[in-house]
Amino acid sequence: MDKDKWMRMALRFVLPLLLVLGLIAWLAAPAVGGLIEKWFRADVEMRSRLIFNSVQENVAEQVRSGSSRQVDGLFRRIAQDERVLALGLCDNSGKLVRRSAAWPASLGCPGDNSAEPSFTVAHLNNGSVLAASFALASTGAPQGHLVILHDLGFIERRLSSAESYLAAFLGFLGLAAAGVTAIVARLTLRGWLSTLQRGLKGQPGTGSDRRDAPEMAPLLREMRKAMRSLEAPRGLSDAIRVDWGPDSLRSLLRDEMPDAEVLVVSNRQPYIHNMEDGKVTLQRPASGLVTALEPIMRACGGTWIAHGSGSADSLMVDKSDHLAVPPEAPAYTLRRVWLSDEEQDGYYYGLANEGLWPLCHIAFVRPIFRASDWEQYMAVNRKFADAVVAEATTPNPVVLVQDYHFALLPQMVRERLPEATIITFWHIPWPNPEMFSICPWKEEILAGLLGSSILGFHTQFHCLNFLESVDRFLASHIDRELSVVRDVDGNTTLVRPYPISIEWPPVALADTPPVDQCRELVRQRYGIGADVHLAVGVERFDYTKGIADRFRAVQSLLEQHPEWIGRFTLLQVAAPTRGRLSAYQITQEEAEGLAAEINERFGRDDWRPVLLVARHHEPDEVLTLFRAADLCLVSSLHDGMNLVAKEFVAARDDEDGVLVLSTFAGASRELREALIVNPYDIQGMGEAMHVGLTMPADQRRERMKLMRELVSEHNIHHWAGRMLLDAARMRKSRAIQNQMVQAVPAGGGRHV
Ligand code: F6P
């Protein structure tokens, strides 16, 4: 505790105590003074009696003998006693007849002629005196009164020094008591605080720890209860049924996280400007991540930080590299970050897509890890972390970090914005620990991700794989009940499944023609006959998507069910992607070769079983394709979620169409009414296509209705809303802890 706080705390105890003691002294002083005065007076009276008793016979004798000189001499000797001021002799008529030298001139006889001794106080100019009057008698005859005067000034002097001693004593007592109280209070508060901090952190040993203050147990129990209700993994966000949409998301932010600044970080940007034939063109990339996040940013606003990868991107930004988007109705800011070719090669093509991508997907492509790629990966993560810090205008923004390109960024941001709420979403699967162990930088990647406040995966299975990996490779504490990892520094990360989804209804659907027209349009555009059943596949040209296996399944369908020859076509559109990498070139070549082979084998003059269109399609074109199709094939070998499956369902407001879905896509956990297939079982997949093509209309409708219900409810706003609700709970919980730590001014804890 610093000196000022310590002084303030000490004063808090000292001042009231001194005030109370002062008041007591002030009230008690007259009574105490009176008592002391009484004691001294009794003492003086007793002395007077003693003097009188010892001299009375002598004085009476002298008076009776009329020897004035003898009386004066006697008075002189008695008056030598330092307390005795003077002696006087009053006759029976009350007249002062003899007196010693110091008898005050203004003082006469006390005037009491009784035989009993009397004591009166006379207040003279130079102080008070006690006049003790005793009757003198000789052989039974009264001979007047002997009056002994005692100076009472000494009582007053003693009284005033007694008062000073009393005040000093009380003052000293007050200071000592306050000091001891302050020290004891400080030690006790420190004990309480550390008990509280250990208790809230749930550190092992709490409760039975001998350092724990037992009197804190009830408070700790209550606090834990409150925190648990905020942290419970199946809490408010899951229990309350909300119709999630842009409005509910906006009000969630407004009500639960007022003033929260939203920053998104992803590699892929939502709008790409390219220079084509001397003209700037705008492209919306084929990216599930973009499909998911763009509606959220449109609803909530904020800043999206991404790599400016387009050839005309730099022409479109302002001097801060900002651009207001969407171009037609700006709702948020796109901040472009520029990467050199060398950076892109190492970070994006190298570590991210030749290393982590095959590492996380079980597609039997060998991951490649190069130290030079890792260097670039670290440097680019640092560059984006710098951009986050530069864009943040508050100390505690909500930072939504996207995907495997930025495994190190959460920790980098955490170091510089310790109060930020960092929500990281891993859009691809997380491998089991054996698989993950082949990554040479596994510890760094895990530690980087644990800089997040919340780490999301699509499925519980991927969460468990991640927790197992942490358990295997990092020193940390894992609370499996709460799904929380606490690293060695005490930072906590909530690890939860948040199955990603799409906008409902997709915004592009409003401009898409009715289903009949779409069928017509697509058939005309691709030369497909009216009686031909149409299956569609829409992907990036990625080896994880199982495009070649899908073609093999078409071949199997035609072999096993020749009635479909001439009556079935698969229209596969595939956006070329990561084409610089050999695994991708091979994938595309293999698919093109296979399509040509199958067409060669089964094709007729005006009919081909496989139409492969290797180009990017804009969202409205994709929706048109979905609406034109009888079947949609999603046969990923491995996929975090696969939003194509959900987009197909969303496109079918006519409640028709059959979805054939790989069991290895995260979407299969939710879309149970799809025909679930194993993409490695080619014949089985061919059979599923046959089942789909021959499925009665009412069954198609039933299945599609159920899937549409699920996606409409679990839409992208639901995905974001659940994460933001968890983040809001976390911020509130942290605010409670901060308040408590501030209320008890000692030490400090973070991320409890
Ligand atoms: O699946 C992971 C992911 O980031 C998706 O979100 C997205 O569809 C895809 O990869 C995009 O890849 P890229 O940005 O490399 O083209």
Side-chain angles (χ1 to χ4, degrees), residues 312-323 334 336 338:
D313 276 346
S314 60
L315 303 177
M316 308 304 291
V317 294
D318 65 16
K319 61 178 185 323
S320 313
D321 299 324
H322 287 163
L323 173 68
L334 174 60
R336 285 174 169 154
W338 313 113

Side-chain angles (χ1 to χ4, degrees), residues 267-268 286-290 348 353 357 361 403-405 427-428 540 545 577-578 639:
N267 172 70
R268 187 61 65 203
S287 158
L289 180 157
V290 169
Y348 174 76
N353 286 317
W357 181 270
H361 289 93
D403 233 347
Y404 59 100
H405 309 93
H427 288 255
I428 61 177
R540 289 178 304 107
K545 303 296 177 185
T577 177
R578 308 171 191 168
D639 225 328

